[in-house]
Structures are given as structure tokens and as C-alpha cells.
Amino acid sequence: MKEEETSDIEEQDDELYEHHKFVAEKGQNPLRVDKYLMNYIEKATRNKIQKAAKSGNIYVNEIAVKSNYKVKAGDVVQVMFEHPPYEFLLTPENIPLDVVYEDDTLLVVNKPAGMVVHPGHGNYSGTLINALVYHFENLPNNSSDRPGLVHRIDKDTSGLLVVAKTEEAMTHLSKQFFDKTSEREYVALVWGNVEEDEGTVEGNIGRHPKNRLQNTVYEGDDAEKGKPAVTHYKVLERYGYVTLVSCKLETGRTHQIRVHMKHIGHTLFNDERYGGEKILKGTTFTKYKQFVENCFKVLPRQALHAKTLGFTHPKTEKWMSFNTEIPQDMQDCIEKWENYAKNQKEML
């Protein structure tokens, strides 16, 4: 009888799908698992997490736990459900794509700001992948089972992405990004006057210890908490309280430009997640405050655009380079700052 019960339990476990998995870091102080998961899962509520625990869907070290379990360093925390994660239930959606280039091997798309690249927590439709699986059949999966996706950019970042249409292209292009032989140039508007005409930011990037929705730079003895990241920047224009810069990625960490520029004191303009939606530089005059708020309205997102993308074609072995215009919302914001800087000079 006991053997049959064990068999039934194993069968049930086979039907559970992992939705989230976290490994508690070395410095983790004992913390209730519901509070711990609140720090890690975007848009999750404590009520939902507690319900999941009550239903036996939260596991620590492969054992179901209640919401008052205290997570300790080294614990493996999983959230498991009987249905697959919504991001794997890919529904084809007839969403128009701005295709810059296409052949039988790959395509290059210009992603608008506001479009999520792949489905995830809170964004199960309207993504780039929902559009891709509608427009293209049999796209190869990457290592995360996401069709066609070689790399990604943030939801509110606009710009160029290459998509693989064959298994060979996926392997070839992914290797180029891993080997750092692809070329990616971004244009960003950042707070403050970047004094050096050009420079390089090197600093390991990892999850922020207090705000799990942010990343941060780890240095010195803490460097091992992050992964190596290198960003090369060059000043394009200075507008006094903000600077327009070009950033070339040597590595591709999550939020890399946003984290590195903040690290050197130049947070991206209107980057809400990293504090750039506040007035970080400038005067205390009401008129200036109103001007900046108008800029925020014109550009209601971080000022970042993936402008240039270069790689070796997987089939022809020829170098390909693509360039796209800075989108209108960002252009309008830059123009406002240009006029502001011009007026300031005239007043001097």
C-alpha cells in the first residue's frame, strides 16, 4: 500500500511545472518565504504567494513549505504549479512588425518602446514573440525555449534585434553574442554633464541586494556576486544638465547600460526603475522643474535606443550592419534639451 502511495505522489510531482526558482545567497538572513518571494517576483502580492503556499505550491529544497518557513542561505526556493508557465503558452498574435531586413536564415526587427520581447510574469500577450510565432512558422528555440530569440532588449528600450529562423542561425548568432564578436551600439540621454569625451565602464553586474528588480555593480571583495560587464561610451552632445552618449556593449548583461551609467553618476533620463524619473541635475527654479516635467511627458520612458546592430551572417559569412533612426519621442526630448541649452548660452 505504501509503495502505491509513493508511486502516486511521484506521478503528481511529474505533472508540476516550475514557474520560479531562486537560490538564497550566502549572506541571506533568515526570512519568511512569502516575504522572500515578494522581493524576487515582479508584481506578485503577498496574498497570492500565501495562497500558493497554502495550496502546497511553494517548495524549499524540494519539500513543500508553508508561508512562515524561514529561508536561509543556500536554500533552493521553487514555485510549482500544475499548468505550464504562461510564458510557454505562446499564443500567435497578429501584431505588425517593423522588419528592417529578412532572408531565409534570419530577420532584423526594429522593436518599438513599450513592447515586451518575450512573455513573462504580468506580460503574457502583445510581446515580440507573440508576433513572431504568428508571422513565422517553425522558429528554432533558444536555450530558454524562446522561439527565434538570440538576444533581447528591455520593454521600454527601442531598437534593433536579430531573430534566427533556423537552428543553424540560432547556434551561429548565439555564439557571436557569447564570443562578443557582434556589435551593438545604443544612444542614451543621461543626467549630468559627462566630462570625459569617451571612456569605459567595467564592473561586475548582479542583482541588487535590497531591490531585486534592479541590478547593481559589485566591486572588490563583492565582485563575485556579479558577472563581468564592459560598456564603452562616447559623448555625442552636451546640453548642460544632460548629455547625449553613444554606448557600445562588449558584454550583454541585464540592464547593463542603465546600471553602468548610474554607477558612474549618470543615470539615464526618465529611467524610473533606477531613479532617473527625478530631477537629478539642474536648478531649483519652478520654470526649470516644469520644463523637465514636460520632457518626461514627451518621453515617458528611459531615454535608450538600440541604434546599431552588426554581426556575421551565419550562411554567407559576410559582415552585416544595420542602423535605425532614433524614435520620435526620444528625438522630441533631445530637441527640447537642445533648445534649452541654446537659450542658456544666449542668456550668458
Side-chain angles (χ1 to χ4, degrees):
M1 181 67 182
K2 283 184 179 178
E3 285 180 7
E4 287 178 3
E5 286 175 357
T6 303
S7 177
D8 287 342
I9 289 168
E10 285 174 354
E11 252 184 68
Q12 288 173 358
D13 283 348
D14 286 343
E15 293 174 6
L16 290 176
Y17 295 87
E18 182 180 276
H19 284 233
H20 301 281
K21 182 178 181 179
F22 308 102
V23 179
E25 295 174 358
K26 290 179 183 177
Q28 177 66 52
N29 293 320
L31 181 68
R32 282 176 59 115
V33 71
D34 53 354
K35 289 185 177 180
Y36 177 84
L37 289 172
M38 282 280 291
N39 291 335
Y40 279 81
I41 304 175
E42 190 173 0
K43 296 181 182 176
T45 64
R46 194 169 178 187
N47 185 43
K48 283 183 181 177
I49 290 170
Q50 288 175 338
K51 278 185 180 177
K54 197 173 182 181
S55 303
N57 295 115
I58 294 179
Y59 290 72
V60 177
N61 304 326
E62 299 185 354
I63 298 170
V65 298
K66 298 300 181 186
S67 55
N68 63 353
Y69 174 88
K70 297 284 182 73
V71 176
K72 303 175 290 296
D75 279 351
V76 178
V77 184
Q78 294 169 286
V79 182
M80 313 279 284
F81 289 105
E82 291 177 2
H83 61 86
Y86 291 113
E87 54 261 45
F88 295 114
L89 302 175
L90 296 174
T91 306
E93 295 179 44
N94 187 7
I95 302 167
L97 288 172
D98 181 3
V99 178
V100 176
Y101 173 84
E102 182 185 357
D103 60 28
D104 60 353
T105 302
L106 58 85
L107 67 141
V108 176
V109 296
N110 185 20
K111 186 191 83 68
M115 177 185 266
V116 177
V117 170
H118 57 74
H121 187 78
N123 296 290
Y124 304 121
S125 65
T127 74
L128 177 65
I129 284 188
N130 291 112
L132 288 173
V133 295
Y134 177 90
H135 293 287
F136 304 97
E137 293 182 358
N138 304 317
L139 289 173
N141 284 345
N142 65 12
S143 58
S144 301
D145 291 327
R146 287 166 178 151
L149 215 60
V150 178
H151 61 126
R152 58 173 290 257
I153 55 178
D154 297 327
K155 174 187 175 183
D156 289 325
T157 299
S158 53
L160 296 172
L161 286 162
V162 61
V163 176
K165 293 172 75 174
T166 66
E167 293 285 355
E168 293 77 14
M170 177 65 76
T171 302
H172 198 291
L173 290 166
S174 297
K175 189 174 188 302
Q176 289 185 56
F177 278 80
F178 181 80
D179 291 342
K180 306 171 191 172
T181 57
S182 61
E183 184 181 279
R184 285 166 290 170
E185 181 186 6
Y186 291 70
V187 173
L189 189 68
V190 302
W191 279 107
N193 179 31
V194 180
E195 292 183 6
E196 299 293 329
D197 288 341
E198 53 187 84
T200 297
V201 187
E202 294 186 62
N204 289 15
I205 290 178
R207 289 279 187 186
H208 195 288
K210 293 180 180 177
N211 185 340
R212 308 307 297 185
L213 301 182
Q214 288 186 8
N215 283 340
T216 191
V217 171
Y218 287 100
E219 296 177 305
D221 293 340
D222 291 330
E224 64 179 21
K225 292 181 181 179
K227 293 180 179 178
V230 181
T231 305
H232 306 284
Y233 69 84
K234 187 176 182 179
V235 170
L236 300 176
E237 295 288 345
R238 291 187 176 87
Y239 303 123
Y241 300 130
V242 296
T243 306
L244 189 67
V245 295
S246 158
C247 293
K248 285 192 175 182
L249 295 183
E250 195 171 301
T251 52
R253 308 301 175 200
T254 301
H255 300 173
Q256 180 170 318
I257 293 172
R258 300 163 72 181
V259 173
H260 269 175
M261 294 312 290
K262 179 175 182 174
H263 181 65
I264 63 169
H266 297 289
T267 304
L268 264 64
F269 186 79
N270 209 12
D271 187 350
E272 186 176 356
R273 182 163 292 190
Y274 288 92
E277 86 288 7
K278 300 179 182 70
I279 299 176
L280 300 181
K281 297 289 179 181
T283 71
T284 56
F285 297 133
T286 305
K287 196 172 179 181
Y288 174 74
K289 184 183 177 185
Q290 185 61 57
F291 163 74
V292 175
E293 286 175 353
N294 286 338
C295 288
F296 287 155
K297 286 177 184 175
V298 166
L299 183 69
R301 63 178 180 99
Q302 69 257 16
L304 185 62
H305 176 64
K307 192 175 189 302
T308 304
L309 178 63
F311 52 84
T312 301
H313 193 281
K315 206 169 183 179
T316 66
E317 295 293 333
K318 289 183 179 178
W319 179 257
M320 304 188 79
S321 186
F322 300 92
N323 191 57
T324 185
E325 292 295 320
I326 295 171
Q328 197 60 51
D329 60 351
M330 197 165 159
Q331 282 190 39
D332 291 343
C333 182
I334 291 168
E335 195 174 308
K336 279 184 172 293
W337 279 104
E338 279 179 344
N339 291 332
Y340 180 85
K342 187 180 177 183
N343 291 334
Q344 290 297 105
K345 282 182 181 178
E346 288 175 355
M347 289 171 65
L348 294 175

